Amino acid sequence: MTAVRRAAALLVAALVLLAGAAQAHATGYRYWSFWERDGDRWTYATQGPSTARPDDGAIQGFRFAVSEDSADASRPRGTADFATICAGTPAKPGTKRVALVIDFGTPADAPSGETPPTRRTVCARVSPDATTAEALAATAKPLRYDTNALLCAIAGYPHKGCGEQVSADDTEKKATPVGEKPRQKDSGPSLGLPIGVGAVVLLAGAAVWQARRRRDA
């Protein structure tokens, strides 16, 4: 009975190792993430741009990138503050000003055949109750949404696609210059992983065989 339990434990360990290997090849999604500036740091927005209603003087950011989830999402780059972004847009009674940072990402995150535009900052002067989506529409057209109201493109970028699933290996290959070998990812599985899994499975099989042999003896 002890041998059977040991075999079960070894099989569980093998499954855990296999799960780790699958995680190393996990896919992400190519999409626009939405951020809010809190002091000098970016925080992932807790609501969508169509419902967020920033105050006058707020800084909102958008970043196009391939990310697995919100914890992995890339933040907008740059350190421009509200005073700098809205320096050329004076305050006007009955309106509010919202500073927007639009980061189109890197070539590695771009869809095939597309080149990301240069990061830009804009100052939207909108009505006091305007949402971030309305501020974006006033300064960065054309916008593109899918049937589920997911923001797919800002200022026409990207030209197609919307939140599609992307392999982490694909983005690595795209980021590698022509003629160079792709660099080895630190988080990727090593050759020792499949060998280790195989060894655990073999040991588990041996333990089961021994247990049956003792039971039949």
Side-chain angles (χ1 to χ4, degrees):
M1 192 67 177
T2 302
V4 173
R5 290 179 178 176
R6 185 183 303 111
L10 288 170
L11 285 172
V12 170
L15 291 174
V16 170
L17 287 172
L18 286 172
Q23 182 66 28
H25 286 285
T27 55
Y29 295 87
R30 181 182 286 119
Y31 66 100
W32 281 101
S33 57
F34 174 41
W35 302 79
E36 299 174 339
R37 180 76 72 82
D38 180 11
D40 60 353
R41 60 189 292 269
W42 289 106
T43 59
Y44 202 88
T46 57
Q47 55 185 317
S50 62
T51 57
R53 299 181 186 277
D55 295 329
D56 178 69
I59 303 177
Q60 311 272 273
F62 293 87
R63 172 69 188 267
F64 188 76
V66 174
S67 307
E68 290 185 22
D69 50 39
S70 60
D72 176 63
S74 300
R75 292 169 172 75
R77 294 168 293 179
T79 58
D81 56 15
F82 176 82
T84 301
I85 297 173
C86 289
T89 306
K92 184 178 180 180
T95 66
K96 68 179 178 183
R97 292 178 297 165
V98 178
L100 300 174
V101 177
I102 306 172
D103 190 336
F104 297 90
T106 67
D109 291 326
S112 179
E114 298 200 42
T115 302
T118 303
R119 182 184 62 88
R120 68 176 71 170
T121 59
V122 293
C123 185
R125 186 164 56 195
V126 291
S127 63
D129 63 344
T131 63
T132 302
E134 291 172 325
L136 192 63
T139 54
K141 290 181 178 180
L143 306 180
R144 178 166 57 86
Y145 292 88
D146 70 357
T147 55
N148 296 314
L150 176 66
L151 180 60
C152 304
I154 298 177
Y157 181 82
H159 298 300
K160 59 182 180 180
C162 191
E164 65 271 21
Q165 200 170 38
V166 181
S167 168
D169 290 337
D170 290 341
T171 57
E172 175 68 15
K173 291 176 183 177
K174 189 169 184 180
T176 303
V178 176
E180 292 186 14
K181 294 181 179 180
R183 67 180 184 273
Q184 186 70 30
K185 290 185 178 181
D186 293 337
S187 58
S190 65
L191 181 61
L193 180 57
I195 293 176
V197 172
V200 170
V201 172
L202 287 174
L203 288 172
V208 171
W209 178 80
Q210 289 179 358
R212 288 178 178 176
R213 185 179 179 184
R214 290 172 182 173
R215 183 183 60 191
D216 296 337

